[in-house]
Amino acid sequence: MEKFVVVGGNRLKGTIRANGSKNATLPILAATLLTGGVCTVNEVPRLKDVFVMQELLTYLGAKTNFEGNTMTVDCSKVQSQEISEDLMRKMRASNLVMGPLIGRFGNVKISYPGGCNIGSRPMNLHLKGLATLGANISEKFGYISASAKQLTGTVIHLDVPSVGATENLIMAAVLAHGTTVIRNAAKEPEIVDLQNFLNAMGAKVVGAGTDIIRIEGVKELGSVIHTVIPDRIEAGTHMVAGAITNGDVVVTNVIPEHLDPLIYKLREAGVRVEVMDDSVRVQGTGVIKAVDIKTMPYPGFPTDMQAQMMALMTIAEGTSVISETIFENRFKHVPEFRRMGADIRLEGHTAIVKGVKRLSGACVEATDLRAGAALILAALAAEDGTVLDNIEHIDRGYERIEKKYNALGARIIRVNSQ
């Protein structure tokens, strides 16, 4: 087990590059299962979750090669088979293989997936959608089985705009017979990237980025070379790092419109944000103003940035009200912030944050991926040193974040906790 030792108080200054999007990479890698060809995916971040997906593809019979930030995947020898509980529990996004496997092979059997414990993320929307496409679904002893001789296009209305269900059902439908329409679909940019990847393989998908997606089934898909979009959550985390340290940070390899909700809130908080073609510059002004935040599906404020903005609000002038509407268990970072001297009161799914003059270093624990990133940000702004444990959560979504921040002037050391 490893931990971070963070010595706060330094202004971050310089340029930092965001990697390719984790949340786009994972469904794209799952989608390689739809073809017997060879897929080359560029800008793949070297993260724990990506290595788990690579392991899962290899388990199913794929040949993978991961050099630098490029992964090649040959799924010509893949066969659908039962996927063990141990492998599935390593990552929530492992459930994304369901759509491709039943779409290509007509059957799939997986255990319920794992991932961050941030609240209920049920599989019912995935399974209901697959059943609507004609799959026979059974659940027994913690395993989900789905089979169909031939999936048939239909109209699917999602009860809520679930990102994972939208992605899974798109992938299941691309090889189905006829046309599928997904209504109330999630609109996230990562779904648009998946659509672009599939269409480059020969699929016929339109509408990603809107709430209605139409998929015309095709007989087969081919090889493709694709570059993953930048990670908007990683970029957003770096932007808050610049703001919380009163720094001057340029974040490159970004698509600025993907960051609009965060840019708006940072400016409202008194942070100077300059938007360029594929980069943003964040400059502290010496004053952070309290702002209210409510997480919403895209294009609203992202739940994956809630903890990081809460870190910023802990030292803002005034009181902030932060409402979490996506996941019911996503305030686990609050007790850790309190250890550092933050003044936060919880009322159901709302956190009331009264800004303090400064945070203090403490021994804290990363309870999930984004909570861990937020605690790094708080530690950068805190007096004295902070010891952050359970950093394996952070490695799931940030590629050697300590090296990137140290290059900007931070003092973060990765040490073995044993």
Side-chain angles (χ1 to χ4, degrees):
M1 302 290 287
E2 293 179 315
K3 59 186 176 183
F4 283 144
V5 177
V6 185
V7 179
N10 288 1
R11 295 180 67 233
L12 299 193
K13 297 179 66 177
T15 300
I16 185 170
R17 185 180 188 275
N19 286 97
S21 168
K22 174 183 84 82
N23 290 336
T25 294
L26 296 176
I28 283 172
L29 291 180
T32 64
L33 294 166
L34 286 162
T35 177
V38 178
C39 299
T40 300
V41 187
N42 299 314
E43 289 291 347
V44 176
R46 301 186 69 84
L47 304 173
K48 183 178 177 181
D49 278 7
V50 173
F51 288 117
V52 172
M53 182 61 80
Q54 182 185 22
E55 182 182 357
L56 180 52
L57 294 174
T58 302
Y59 175 86
L60 291 168
K63 293 182 179 179
T64 65
N65 183 50
F66 195 6
E67 293 186 4
N69 292 110
T70 296
M71 187 183 296
T72 57
V73 185
D74 179 352
C75 289
S76 59
K77 303 296 184 183
V78 164
Q79 293 182 338
S80 187
Q81 56 186 300
E82 179 180 315
I83 303 175
S84 70
E85 180 180 2
D86 288 343
L87 190 53
M88 289 296 297
R89 284 190 175 275
K90 289 183 179 181
M91 180 182 61
R92 175 70 188 180
S94 54
N95 65 358
L96 290 172
V97 302
M98 285 195 71
L101 288 177
I102 192 171
R104 181 178 172 191
F105 298 104
N107 64 87
V108 60
K109 184 177 181 180
I110 67 170
S111 78
Y112 277 90
C116 281
N117 183 23
I118 58 175
S120 177
R121 291 182 284 181
M123 289 288 295
N124 62 304
L125 295 179
H126 303 245
L127 303 183
K128 182 180 178 181
L130 291 175
T132 304
L133 287 166
N136 296 310
I137 310 290
S138 65
E139 300 177 67
K140 193 174 183 180
F141 303 122
Y143 276 81
I144 303 168
S145 297
S147 62
K149 289 184 178 181
Q150 173 67 60
L151 296 178
T152 303
T154 185
V155 176
I156 301 170
H157 187 97
L158 296 177
D159 295 335
V160 296
S162 161
V163 174
T166 299
E167 292 168 339
N168 235 338
L169 295 174
I170 290 173
M171 291 187 283
V174 291
L175 294 178
H177 177 73
T179 301
T180 299
V181 178
I182 303 174
R183 298 185 180 277
N184 197 30
K187 304 175 185 178
E188 274 69 4
E190 295 78 15
I191 297 172
V192 178
D193 205 27
L194 175 62
Q195 171 184 273
N196 294 339
F197 177 80
L198 292 169
N199 287 346
M201 296 168 72
K204 296 181 179 180
V205 185
V206 296
T210 75
D211 61 357
I212 300 177
I213 299 175
R214 183 179 298 270
I215 308 105
E216 183 181 338
V218 298
K219 290 185 177 180
E220 62 180 6
L221 299 175
S223 301
V224 65
I225 300 174
H226 181 80
T227 299
V228 174
I229 60 172
D231 194 314
R232 60 192 172 100
I233 304 304
E234 182 195 351
T237 303
H238 301 334
M239 290 168 67
V240 177
I244 203 170
T245 62
N246 194 32
D248 186 353
V249 174
V250 176
V251 186
T252 64
N253 190 40
V254 304
I255 300 176
E257 52 264 36
H258 292 174
L259 298 165
D260 278 348
L262 176 63
I263 291 170
Y264 178 82
K265 284 298 176 183
L266 285 176
R267 286 173 171 167
E268 186 182 348
V271 179
R272 186 177 295 114
V273 182
E274 180 183 357
V275 177
M276 293 159 275
D277 289 342
D278 59 357
S279 62
V280 292
R281 182 181 184 183
V282 174
Q283 295 174 287
T285 59
V287 177
I288 299 170
K289 303 173 185 176
V291 298
D292 295 338
I293 295 167
K294 183 177 182 180
T295 64
M296 297 289 288
Y298 189 86
F301 193 91
T303 180
D304 279 353
M305 284 300 303
Q306 176 254 109
Q308 298 93 310
M309 277 299 289
M310 186 182 293
L312 183 64
M313 291 300 98
T314 62
I315 58 171
E317 292 184 353
T319 300
S320 306
V321 178
I322 300 177
S323 302
E324 174 59 56
T325 72
I326 308 298
F327 295 116
E328 74 275 11
N329 198 21
R330 204 160 201 181
F331 282 145
K332 287 189 172 183
H333 41 280
V334 168
E336 306 306 309
F337 284 153
R338 286 173 176 161
R339 290 175 183 267
M340 302 179 72
D343 185 348
I344 307 173
R345 184 174 82 255
L346 291 180
E347 294 183 359
H349 300 310
T350 299
I352 300 169
V353 186
K354 184 178 180 181
V356 297
K357 288 187 176 181
R358 59 184 62 84
L359 299 174
S360 301
C363 292
V364 293
E365 178 181 350
T367 55
D368 60 71
L369 167 57
R370 305 305 174 184
L375 287 165
I376 290 177
L377 302 182
L380 290 173
E383 292 183 329
D384 303 320
T386 297
V387 178
L388 175 54
D389 216 337
N390 283 355
I391 64 172
E392 65 272 11
H393 287 298
I394 301 170
D395 290 335
R396 289 184 46 238
Y398 298 88
E399 184 178 329
R400 286 291 177 176
I401 192 171
E402 77 278 14
K403 289 187 176 181
K404 288 189 173 186
Y405 285 174
N406 287 344
L408 298 177
R411 288 181 288 174
I412 307 174
I413 304 171
R414 181 186 291 257
V415 298
N416 194 311
S417 59
Q418 294 180 341

